[in-house]
Amino acid sequence: MQAHYLLGIDGGGTQCRARLSDLNGKVLAEATGGPANVWSEYDAALTRVGALIDKVFLQAGLAPQTLAQTALVAGLAGANVASVQARLAGWQPACAAFQVLSDVEIACAGAHGGEPGAVFITGTGSQGAAWDGTRFTLLGGWGFALSDQGSGAELGRRALRLALLAHEAVVEKSDFTHQLMAQFDHTPETMLLWTRTAAPADWARVVPQVFAAADAGDRHAQDLLAQTAADTGLMVRRLMAISSGRVALMGGLAAPIRRWLAADIQACLATPQGDALSGALKLAGALPACSTSPDNVRATT
């Protein structure tokens, strides 16, 4: 069936967003829902995506059956994992055409208007992607325990480890390390108990304090940001090498960490043209109108 509408889904670990447009790019509806990470919560994530799809059609005043006239691209956190891709191959929304990607891939498409380029997303976590016009190559995105270089969660973990070292007089104390330990009543055991249930977003909550302390001249905080900038640079340099140098920095940490990056990296960073949802819609517009085969998951390397 010929598609008359485009629908983009950006399913992240914190929230899921949807945007519906016509073929000319006019936005008809937008909606936000709960997290949609298909690695950690496969069934729940797809349930939330389905509810969000219904929500945008209702908001646009269109019948649910309009999905059959819609080209859909969903970028879902966790879809970069091969075992998850295999499961997603069996997901068959009743639409005119659809494709499942990871959230970083649609962000890459949005950042460069669908043209070749790369993106490094640095927020609570981090991941990179490069698009050569035919295929995506992914970098990182293997979770807080193994990956997430240059992320807010990793910066937060380093900050709290440093605060503990200062508390035990292994390194010099500062007002900054004192403030961090105060959140745990200056008790290492309280901090230890907190780590048992702390999620990446919990570790990242101290990030604003790190930047504030660095701006106030705290050497510990400045060193932490220098390390985060170095980790970010490591990933960006690799993305530059596989994308002819066109790399956009996106995510909540992108703006504040930029001035800490090496000068040559700052000079080469591209300004994002659009967000992840605009990328999803761009990719949806390029789908064959009747492609609903199990090949809906784009190959990545």
Side-chain angles (χ1 to χ4, degrees):
M1 181 179 292
Q2 179 65 42
H4 297 290
Y5 303 95
L6 304 176
L7 177 58
I9 303 289
D10 177 20
T14 302
Q15 67 174 7
C16 186
R17 301 184 300 148
R19 183 178 296 161
L20 179 69
S21 78
D22 61 20
L23 296 184
N24 295 319
K26 179 183 178 181
V27 175
L28 305 176
E30 292 193 36
T32 303
N37 187 314
V38 288
W39 161 250
S40 59
E41 296 182 295
Y42 182 85
D43 292 326
L46 292 189
T47 296
R48 291 178 184 125
V49 169
L52 205 55
I53 291 173
D54 292 340
K55 189 174 181 178
V56 289
F57 280 113
L58 178 64
Q59 189 183 119
L62 299 171
Q65 294 81 359
T66 308
L67 180 60
Q69 304 170 35
T70 303
L72 164 66
V73 166
L76 307 177
N80 59 304
V81 180
S83 59
V84 175
Q85 289 182 6
R87 295 185 70 182
L88 286 168
W91 181 44
Q92 298 286 328
C95 52
F98 83 107
Q99 186 175 50
V100 185
L101 301 167
S102 67
D103 52 345
V104 70
E105 289 170 298
I106 61 171
C108 185
H112 300 286
E115 296 299 317
V119 64
F120 184 63
I121 297 179
T122 171
T124 298
S126 70
Q127 189 175 15
W131 169 246
D132 64 6
T134 302
R135 191 178 186 88
F136 282 105
T137 299
L138 304 186
L139 199 65
W142 300 110
F144 182 45
L146 294 175
S147 188
D148 284 354
Q149 287 86 354
S151 70
E154 182 61 23
L155 173 57
R157 178 162 58 182
R158 284 177 173 156
L160 292 180
R161 284 176 170 175
L162 180 65
L164 183 57
L165 288 173
H167 176 80
E168 295 183 328
V170 177
V171 300
E172 185 179 357
K173 293 182 180 180
S174 70
D175 289 342
F176 168 59
T177 63
H178 182 85
Q179 291 168 6
L180 292 181
M181 286 305 299
Q183 298 174 35
F184 301 94
D185 300 321
H186 300 285
T187 306
E189 184 176 354
T190 300
M191 181 182 283
L192 175 64
L193 293 172
W194 173 84
T195 65
R196 288 182 173 180
T197 57
D202 297 319
W203 291 94
R205 287 196 182 107
V206 303
V207 167
Q209 292 175 258
V210 181
F211 279 96
D215 288 341
D218 187 279
R219 174 52 60 183
H220 284 318
Q222 291 173 348
D223 288 345
L224 287 168
L225 291 183
Q227 182 61 63
T228 296
D231 288 348
T232 300
L234 181 71
M235 303 298 278
V236 169
R237 288 184 194 282
R238 175 56 184 158
L239 290 166
M240 289 171 65
I242 60 177
S243 66
S244 302
R246 299 186 70 239
V247 183
L249 204 61
M250 299 176 74
L253 210 59
I257 201 62
R258 182 163 183 152
R259 65 187 175 92
W260 292 88
L261 299 174
D264 64 317
I265 292 181
Q266 290 189 50
C268 292
L269 289 176
T271 301
Q273 296 179 29
D275 63 5
L277 283 176
S278 67
L281 292 177
K282 187 78 174 180
L283 293 169
L287 290 177
C290 298
S291 176
T292 55
S293 71
D295 294 328
N296 56 348
V297 181
R298 182 187 297 277
T300 57
T301 59

